[in-house]
């Protein structure tokens, strides 16, 4: 299976491993008895990545231990369709995002105008999608997909989710008071789990490092981190280290300015009680 998010992720890791070993694609091809074009097709996911080919590459690179087993597992799993690839025609941007969520060890979500997608209720998500113009006949499917994506927070080895939420997102009554109350209650319940933290960026601080735009920072452990930028009906990944470093810097700045966990909980509770009162 070529040119899928998982294939591209493995191809990127194989390129990085070759580079770390100090070999050019031509030198690797010569050592394997392959053409340079074959190595190029594998490293760009333009050719189906076979387990035996990955084994051969790792043998030449001298990779052993946990890193070797991890890459071989990626190669074995690459031929098994993921749940989001079964019977669905999803945009490439969305499948890439889901794949990143599935593989991430830590996800840092910086949100401005809406509450984090991985913590949204069905009704809140539906309201946002309706307002953004998602076709009516596709909304149910998209809402369900977002709910299933949240499973990464409760699987056996769950991802760690860190959210920085601009207080503005709580002042906008998306869906009305009842929807907002249910949504805030879900977030308050979520932060009781050890792998989920939410910090609120209070209105009182004025300008802050997140105002340049919403972004999600994915950290995978061994593979280098990437940043996902979402725009209307589209999105893009950034993986150049110098560019990604700018977002790590933004997160550090937000950590300095956001309310601490206890104060953030108090802000969430304040808005919950406000919307509960309005919903009566």
């Amino acid at each position: 299976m070529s040119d899928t998010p998982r294939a591209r992720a493995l191809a990127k890791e194989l390129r990085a491993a070759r580079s770390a070993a100090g070999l050019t694609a031509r030198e690797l091809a010569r050592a394997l008895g392959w053409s340079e074009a074959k190595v190029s097709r594998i490293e760009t996911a333009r050719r189906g990545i076979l387990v035996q080919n990955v084994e051969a590459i790792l043998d030449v690179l001298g990779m052993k231990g946990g890193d070797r087993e991890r890459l071989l597992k990626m190669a074995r799993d690459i031929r098994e369709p993921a749940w989001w690839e079964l019977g669905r025609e999803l945009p490439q941007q969305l499948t890439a995002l889901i794949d990143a969520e599935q593989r991430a060890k830590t996800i840092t979500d910086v949100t401005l105008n809406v509450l984090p997608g991985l913590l949204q209720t069905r009704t809140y998500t539906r309201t946002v999608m309706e307002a953004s113009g998602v076709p009516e006949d596709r909304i149910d499917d998209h809402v369900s997909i977002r709910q299933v994506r949240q499973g990464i927070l409760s699987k056996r080895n769950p991802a760690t989710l860190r959210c920085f939420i601009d207080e503005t997102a709580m002042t906008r009554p998306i869906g009305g008071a009842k929807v907002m109350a249910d949504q805030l209650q879900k977030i308050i319940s979520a932060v009781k789990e050890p792998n989920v933290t939410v910090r609120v960026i209070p209105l009182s601080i004025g300008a802050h490092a997140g105002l340049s735009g919403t972004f999600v920072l994915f950290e995978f452990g061994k593979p280098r981190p990437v940043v996902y930028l979402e725009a209307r009906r589209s999105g893009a990944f950034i993986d150049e280290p110098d560019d990604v470093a700018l977002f790590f810097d933004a997160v550090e700045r937000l950590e300095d300015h956001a309310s601490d966990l206890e104060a953030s909980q108090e802000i969430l509770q304040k808005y919950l009680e406000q919307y509960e009162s309005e919903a009566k």
Side-chain angles (χ1 to χ4, degrees):
M1 184 178 295
S2 61
D3 198 27
T4 66
R6 287 186 294 176
R8 291 193 294 272
L10 177 55
K12 183 183 295 184
E13 290 227 36
L14 292 174
R15 286 198 308 275
R18 174 190 40 86
S19 178
L23 293 179
T24 66
R26 176 175 297 179
E27 290 168 338
L28 176 60
R30 186 181 302 120
L32 290 164
W34 298 349
S35 68
E36 186 178 352
K38 178 176 179 178
V39 171
S40 176
R41 287 193 295 270
I42 291 174
E43 290 190 351
T44 55
R46 288 183 289 114
R47 180 189 184 100
I49 304 179
L50 303 178
V51 176
Q52 57 265 36
N53 287 346
V54 174
E55 286 183 315
I57 290 171
L58 299 182
D59 285 343
V60 170
L61 299 181
M63 183 176 288
K64 303 181 184 300
D67 286 341
R68 179 187 177 91
E69 290 308 310
R70 179 174 59 82
L71 294 183
L72 287 175
K73 183 179 186 305
M74 289 178 70
R76 288 190 293 268
D77 292 347
I78 214 167
R79 303 189 68 81
E80 296 296 325
W83 64 262
W84 60 90
E85 297 169 334
L86 295 173
R88 302 179 185 273
E89 293 184 4
L90 301 180
Q92 182 177 346
Q93 162 235 331
L94 179 55
T95 60
L97 174 62
I98 295 172
D99 181 73
E101 290 173 342
Q102 294 288 319
R103 294 186 294 110
K105 302 296 184 185
T106 301
I107 302 172
T108 303
D109 191 339
V110 178
T111 56
L112 297 176
N113 300 315
V114 295
L115 296 168
L118 289 174
L119 297 179
Q120 289 179 6
T121 65
R122 294 185 66 92
T123 309
Y124 186 94
T125 296
R126 170 175 285 278
T127 304
V128 171
M129 290 186 174
E130 288 174 342
S132 65
V134 175
E136 181 63 32
D137 61 349
R138 302 193 66 181
I139 286 181
D140 284 341
D141 197 32
H142 281 261
V143 170
S144 295
I145 289 170
R146 183 163 296 185
Q147 291 295 302
V148 174
R149 284 165 52 195
Q150 296 177 6
I152 63 169
L153 301 177
S154 56
K155 62 184 181 180
R156 179 175 297 179
N157 295 306
T160 295
L161 176 65
R162 301 190 303 163
C163 296
F164 291 89
I165 304 174
D166 193 298
E167 188 176 350
T168 303
M170 283 171 259
T171 66
R172 189 180 303 280
I174 291 176
K178 177 65 166 61
V179 172
M180 288 298 295
D182 291 343
Q183 176 60 74
L184 290 167
Q185 183 60 66
K186 178 170 182 173
I187 293 176
I188 290 171
S189 297
V191 298
K192 295 177 182 178
E193 299 300 325
N195 60 312
V196 179
T197 60
V198 170
R199 293 182 61 187
V200 177
I201 308 166
L203 289 171
S204 59
I205 72 166
H208 59 77
L211 289 180
S212 57
T214 292
F215 65 89
V216 185
L217 173 62
F218 293 98
E219 297 173 77
F220 304 103
K222 184 69 175 179
R224 68 189 190 191
V226 300
V227 172
Y228 178 72
L229 302 176
E230 185 172 5
R232 184 176 178 84
R233 303 283 187 91
S234 64
F237 283 93
I238 296 174
D239 63 358
E240 288 300 322
D242 288 346
D243 295 329
V244 172
L246 297 175
F247 292 90
F248 274 106
D249 179 68
V251 171
E252 288 183 8
R253 293 174 184 273
L254 289 173
E255 288 177 336
D256 290 338
H257 291 102
S259 298
D260 61 23
L261 295 177
E262 183 177 353
S264 295
Q265 184 81 356
E266 291 174 357
I267 295 172
L268 289 165
Q269 187 66 36
K270 178 189 72 173
Y271 280 100
L272 170 62
E273 293 173 359
Q274 173 189 318
Y275 284 119
E276 284 181 335
S277 176
E278 293 175 5
K280 290 181 180 177

